Amino acid sequence: MGSALPLGEPAPLDGLLPASAAVGAADRAFGVYLHVPFCRVRCGYCDFNTYTSDELRGARQADYADHAIAEVRMSRRVLEASGVPARAASTVFFGGGTPTLLPADDLVRMLDAVRDEFGLEADAEVTTEANPDSVGPEDLRRLADGGFTRVSFGMQSAVPHVLAALDRTHDPERIPLVVGWARGAGLDVSLDLIYGTPGESLADWRRSVEAVVAERPDHVSAYALIVEQGTKLARQIRRGELAQPDDDLEADMYELVDDVLGAAGYEWYEVSNWATTPEHRSRHNLGYWRGDDWWGVGPGAHSHVGGVRWWNAKHPAAYAERVTAGLSPAVGREVLDEPTRETERVLLLTRIREGIDLPSLHAGGRHAVAGLIADDLVDARAALGGRLTLTRRGRLLADAVVRRLLDA
């Protein structure tokens, strides 16, 4: 969740949605995202809406769970008053920041509020992100007992000098411990990696990927480092203290992780994500890519219901002031028109393994498929069956594929 809020129209103080948001809602899955905007240390590459203790003026971390719960209570009333049919949450995701900087009991209370207001589907996926040095075995057991089913650890690398370049604070040797504790609590495990860090070699990257495979998590995410303007990392690169990430090296790193994970039995299901089985795919993130509905709770959180997107006040103090006063924390929104919704549909569905139905593309997009097959960007066999799915080369050039589909 980037820290910059988009442009849009002002959101109403009561948070009510236009009637269009309710159209077809009964056929869409519903998820809840809870943003916990606290970090012990700000990583040099991070552009997320997060705050360390010395940046948290006018708000208290200890009060945060109550403010988030107030928004959850409000969200049900807003959806009901807007005519959006009630649906149990199929997924709940606690992201950040570092959610596990809050006491486990606070996270469970926030989940209980979602359960009380919306209900949880019988097989609901409930995930929290965690840093390896932000949880212990007791925390993980409490989360599991409280209804969490999954934990996603921000491993990023197994190589100390790479972690140092990213300003990550954990010891790589802690990864086997936290994975074991999570397994012992009955939680599914995902490990997140970043590649392309300045100074990271292909051998360094192989070491990290092989360390992940050795832990046998259920799910792996591997994201290319993006240098965001305004971050410490961007300033270091601008001053010549660190090298700009190399696109060709990052492509080699992507091919390496795909090869190593594939050989270990992992299957890609989205450009940057792999799982041991379809059941272990991140259903919450698939909801984003499939255009489902979700309510985002917390400072700077974004929500989407039926083509209406809105975003909350960024700073925890401004957020707390609004929810305490009984006002919607949303400060801006946009109602997507049909061309924009179609662009986003193609952009997002193209990235996942199931791809997109060829007949659903406009005529120019369907015509472009032959050229994409010739360039080894789209799977020819899948296209014969009426679906557009990416080859590995296509995954590396996914943005270019989408441009060709939309511009043809």
Side-chain angles (χ1 to χ4, degrees), residues 87-332:
R87 291 161 292 171
S90 58
T91 64
V92 183
F93 195 101
F94 288 71
T98 310
T100 46
L101 285 183
L102 293 183
D105 284 345
D106 276 0
L107 299 181
V108 170
R109 285 200 300 124
M110 293 159 70
L111 176 60
D112 285 342
V114 174
R115 184 186 289 110
D116 292 345
E117 297 300 324
F118 296 104
L120 297 177
E121 291 189 354
D123 62 344
E125 174 194 273
V126 182
T127 304
T128 186
E129 294 180 332
N131 285 344
D133 55 1
S134 69
V135 288
E138 298 81 7
D139 303 311
L140 293 165
R141 281 196 296 269
R142 176 68 184 107
L143 293 173
D145 290 344
F148 285 75
T149 64
R150 187 172 179 272
V151 60
S152 180
F153 290 115
M155 174 179 171
Q156 317 311 3
S157 175
V159 180
H161 79 84
V162 175
L163 291 172
L166 293 171
D167 293 320
R168 303 295 289 187
T169 58
H170 67 270
D171 185 331
E173 294 184 2
R174 190 172 173 86
I175 297 299
L177 291 175
V178 295
V179 170
W181 294 337
R183 293 279 192 218
L187 296 168
D188 288 347
V189 175
S190 177
L191 294 178
D192 290 356
L193 293 171
I194 291 177
Y195 60 91
T197 301
E200 182 180 34
S201 67
L202 196 60
D204 290 332
W205 177 236
R206 179 179 291 277
R207 177 177 165 188
S208 293
V209 176
E210 290 178 347
V212 164
V213 170
E215 297 307 319
R216 298 302 304 169
D218 306 288
H219 182 277
V220 180
S221 298
Y223 298 105
L225 179 67
I226 297 174
V227 181
E228 301 286 0
Q229 292 305 309
T231 62
K232 173 186 172 184
L233 177 63
R235 293 191 293 272
Q236 289 174 311
I237 291 173
R238 188 172 60 249
R239 293 193 298 260
E241 298 168 6
L242 294 174
Q244 180 76 29
D246 182 275
D247 290 343
D248 291 336
L249 178 58
E250 287 189 346
D252 291 341
M253 289 176 164
Y254 183 86
E255 291 183 345
L256 187 152
V257 70
D258 195 44
D259 283 340
V260 174
L261 291 178
Y266 292 83
E267 182 177 73
W268 83 274
Y269 71 94
E270 191 275 339
V271 168
S272 300
N273 290 273
W274 293 257
T276 52
T277 68
E279 291 73 28
H280 285 116
R281 297 173 181 179
S282 171
R283 287 162 45 203
H284 187 83
N285 286 339
L286 280 170
Y288 296 150
W289 294 315
R290 290 170 175 164
D292 289 333
D293 292 347
W294 72 89
W295 190 291
V297 173
H302 288 229
S303 303
H304 171 267
V305 175
V308 183
R309 182 182 295 123
W310 67 94
W311 45 90
N312 288 349
K314 277 181 56 177
H315 196 278
Y319 171 81
E321 182 179 1
R322 293 174 76 98
V323 296
T324 301
L327 302 175
S328 167
V331 294

Side-chain angles (χ1 to χ4, degrees), residues 6-20:
L7 299 175
E9 63 186 37
L13 293 177
D14 58 12
L16 292 181
L17 306 178
S20 61

